[in-house]
Each structure stands twice: as structure tokens, then as C-alpha cells.
Amino acid sequence: MKLRGGAVVLIRPVEAADAPLLATAFERLGNTSRASRFLTAKPCLSAQELRALTDVDHYDHEALGALDTRDGRLLGVARYIRHAADPTSAEVAITVADEWQGRGLGGELIARLSRRAREDGIDRFTALVAPGNLAVARLLRGSGADVNVTTRDRYSIGYEIALAD
């Protein structure tokens, strides 16, 4: 797919073999991006976390990765994990490499992930977002979905996102 500015990326499902790509992508994230994604300072991903993030069943846990077609680097990942108590709902998360933010990659990843979720019977996402993470708040609101704030405290804002048909 072609992004704003002409860069071409490949978007595909994340696989277990992508753990080294994910580890390298995490290392390239700045501290602000890490804290925005994980809601805490996070110096590294453990082997157990890498397994959990790449051992995806593509039904209850879906993850789509964007790769640079020039060098194969992982540029971003959008994922959902279905809520056990409500199988029509899933928690969503997205991470885009610092230097690739603002090019439309996050929007494309969310749009594709939303389509996959709808195919698998999910009609809404939930998300916990750091209060200062205005980019993700704009991304969610710009996705064409109905977005509502469900919780708010000094550490996070909870969103419920009704997926568009």
C-alpha cells in the first residue's frame, strides 16, 4: 500500500517468526512512544512478552504488521484481543514507529484491523490511552467509528469504539 509521501509498505498478519522484528522495532521507539503504548516506562520487551505479542491465533487475538518494502523493517502493529466476558468486544492497541507517524499508516492499520474484527464478530473496540496521547485519540476519532470516553483518571482515558459497518 502507498502512504502519504509515496512510501510503500506491506501490511500482513503478524506471525510467531516476527518476534525479532518486533524486538528491533521496540528498540527504535522513543521513550514517549513506549510510554504511550504501554502506559508506563518500559525499557525492553521480555521473551515472554514477545511470545505473547507474536503468538497470534488470528481470531481472538489478531495483529497486523506494516513492513517497509525496502528493508523489511517492522514499522507499525495494530492488534486486538477479544474480551473473554464479551466476545463481541476487543481491546485494541496500535504502535507506529516514531519516524513513520503522521503518514497515514496508523489510520490504514486501524481500518484493516477493524475490517478483520467485524469479519470475526467483533462490533466494538475498547482502548486505554495515556492522557497525553493526542495522536491516538485523533486516530480513533478519525476512523469513522463512534468513539465514546468511558473512564478517565490521571493515568489513562478509556474509550469504547463502535466499529462502522
Side-chain angles (χ1 to χ4, degrees):
M1 93 137 301
K2 197 172 194 175
L3 299 176
R4 286 190 295 252
V8 178
V9 299
L10 169 67
I11 297 177
R12 64 161 176 78
V14 169
E15 304 168 353
D18 292 331
L21 286 174
L22 187 64
T24 301
F26 181 85
E27 289 170 5
R28 289 193 325 268
L29 285 176
N31 290 335
T32 300
S33 292
R34 289 179 187 187
S36 291
R37 167 58 181 89
F38 293 96
L39 301 177
T40 186
K42 188 153 197 64
C44 65
L45 292 174
S46 70
Q48 181 179 352
E49 289 169 320
L50 283 170
R51 270 191 308 282
L53 293 170
T54 57
D55 187 15
V56 178
D57 68 8
H58 303 290
Y59 181 73
D60 289 327
H61 180 184
E62 179 63 278
L64 301 177
L67 294 123
D68 189 328
T69 57
R70 297 168 302 172
D71 59 16
R73 286 185 310 148
L74 185 63
L75 307 174
V77 175
R79 77 179 61 248
Y80 69 74
I81 298 175
R82 191 183 305 261
H83 291 289
D86 179 2
T88 64
S89 175
E91 184 168 357
V92 67
I94 183 167
T95 306
V96 174
D98 294 6
E99 67 273 15
W100 285 83
Q101 294 174 12
R103 297 186 190 191
L105 181 56
E108 184 63 28
L109 283 167
I110 286 292
R112 290 186 188 206
L113 189 70
S114 296
R115 283 193 297 274
R116 282 285 304 121
R118 296 290 297 178
E119 290 169 5
D120 286 338
I122 294 169
D123 58 22
R124 65 192 149 77
F125 286 149
T126 61
L128 278 179
V129 178
N133 192 344
L134 301 178
V136 166
R138 277 192 307 273
L139 178 68
L140 293 175
R141 288 194 168 93
S143 69
D146 183 24
V147 178
N148 294 299
V149 173
T150 57
T151 62
R152 183 186 306 263
D153 62 31
R154 66 183 198 165
Y155 303 108
S156 65
I157 300 172
Y159 290 96
E160 183 172 276
I161 305 103
L163 301 180
D165 288 331

